[in-house]
């Protein structure tokens, strides 16, 4: 490990959550002008399927023992891709901490790839306003692959919408609907950028994430066929439309718009003043247009960088 003199690192622990969020918020204030980190997203990251906190995470402290940076490797299917997530407190930029974290995460990502696998990727992200992070990733051999938008809208009192003709909606029933939800999720996202088929035995482990709430998942049906879904997430400050999908053969019938407005109404009923989501800015299904028509605006933009591990 080649951290600057006096700096040290150890694995992240579950009880480090508050300190992780503090580092992320310090970065956000520098980059975005205000705090933007949600504890629930970090707690989910630390509980991802396949996560080994002792080997997949690093928490960096300065010579005074103050936490100033972290790195996290996630990816339940490392033979396909893994995500490298690192942030450094802005007061400690330019000292080589970020570059060292990337090297550590890449080395660990290579260890996680099963023997004989080929074509594995690592992905890392940087905000579109953080040119120093983009330059660092470029110097490490990463190339920009995609833009993602972080979108938001105010809610107010949103009425619950009526479904399109012939379509019904109901809440997901935990355990009973697992296979139904899994199949509609896999099929509806199969054409999306970066899609990797997820084995059912890995998929069910996502239900164990701390923020998962089965009462915030809904399915749409045409007769007995599940044709769409929406997953909401409650965080400390805002409600999220975490995932939304419609089977290709049922697109263009207003189901996606209905599910989005259904989620807005539900989040409003739960007391949230605004809703957020993340979306691939070049999504081929027209999701960005759907969200803009529903009153969502781009709040922040992220660049996704890739690099082959081979």
């Amino acid at each position: 490990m080649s951290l600057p003199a006096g700096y040290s690192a150890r694995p992240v622990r579950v009880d480090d959550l508050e300190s992780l969020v503090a580092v992320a918020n310090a970065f956000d204030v520098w980059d975005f002008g205000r705090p933007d980190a949600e504890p629930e997203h970090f707690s989910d990251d630390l509980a991802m399927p396949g996560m080994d906190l002792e080997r997949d995470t690093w928490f960096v402290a300065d010579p005074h023992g103050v936490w100033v940076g972290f790195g996290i490797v996630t990816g339940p299917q490392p033979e396909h891709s893994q995500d490298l997530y690192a942030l450094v407190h802005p007061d400690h930029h330019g000292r080589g901490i970020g570059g060292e974290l990337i090297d550590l995460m890449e080395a660990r990502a290579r260890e996680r790839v099963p023997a004989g696998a080929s074509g594995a990727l690592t992905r890392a992200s940087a905000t579109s306003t953080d040119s120093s992070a983009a330059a660092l990733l470029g110097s490490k051999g990463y190339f920009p692959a995609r833009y993602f938008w972080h979108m938001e809208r105010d809610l107010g009192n949103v009425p619950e919408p009526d479904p399109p003709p012939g379509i019904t909606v109901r809440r997901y029933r935990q355990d009973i609907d697992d296979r139904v939800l899994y199949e509609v999720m896999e099929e509806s996202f199969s054409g999306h950028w970066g899609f990797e088929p997820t084995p059912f035995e890995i998929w069910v482990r996502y239900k164990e994430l701390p923020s998962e709430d089965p009462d915030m998942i809904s399915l749409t049906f045409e007769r007995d066929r599940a044709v769409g879904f929406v997953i909401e997430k409650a965080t400390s400050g805002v409600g999220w439309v975490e995932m939304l999908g419609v089977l290709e053969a049922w697109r263009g019938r207003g189901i996606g718009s209905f599910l989005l407005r259904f989620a807005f109404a539900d989040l409003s009923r739960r007391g949230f003043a605004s809703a957020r989501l993340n979306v691939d800015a070049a999504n081929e299904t027209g999701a960005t247009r759907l969200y803009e028509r529903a009153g969502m605006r781009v709040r922040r933009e992220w660049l996704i960088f890739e690099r082959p591990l081979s």
Side-chain angles (χ1 to χ4, degrees), residues 7 13 18 61 67 105 122 161 179 214 243 261 289 291:
Y7 287 77
R13 298 191 294 252
E18 184 176 338
W67 299 114
M105 291 188 295
T122 49
R179 183 65 67 170
M243 295 182 72
R261 289 180 290 124
R289 295 189 297 276
Y291 300 148

Side-chain angles (χ1 to χ4, degrees), residues 40-41 43-44 47-49 172 174 178 181 185 203-217 230-234 242-243:
E40 292 79 5
H41 287 138
S43 61
D44 282 354
M48 286 283 283
Y172 154 81
Q174 191 170 23
D178 283 358
L181 178 60
M185 287 178 67
W203 180 87
V204 294
R205 294 180 60 191
Y206 283 94
K207 297 198 306 174
E208 302 169 5
L209 295 180
S211 72
E212 284 297 299
D213 182 350
D215 191 46
M216 299 184 79
I217 303 172
V230 64
I231 298 175
E232 306 159 36
K233 182 190 290 285
E242 193 74 1
M243 295 182 72

Side-chain angles (χ1 to χ4, degrees), residues 27-28 68 73 92 94 102-103 138 145 191 218 230 256 285 294:
F27 169 83
D28 288 334
V68 299
V73 179
H92 298 261
I102 291 173
D103 292 343
S218 299
V230 64
T285 67

Side-chain angles (χ1 to χ4, degrees), residues 167-173 177-178 180-182 184-185 217-221 225-231 245 255 258-259 262:
I167 299 299
T168 58
V169 62
R170 67 164 170 80
R171 294 293 184 190
Y172 154 81
R173 300 168 300 182
D177 287 330
D178 283 358
V180 173
L181 178 60
Y182 166 75
V184 73
M185 287 178 67
I217 303 172
S218 299
L219 289 155
T220 54
F221 292 83
R225 175 68 187 271
V227 300
F229 75 98
V230 64
I231 298 175
I255 299 171
F258 163 73
L259 282 169
F262 180 87

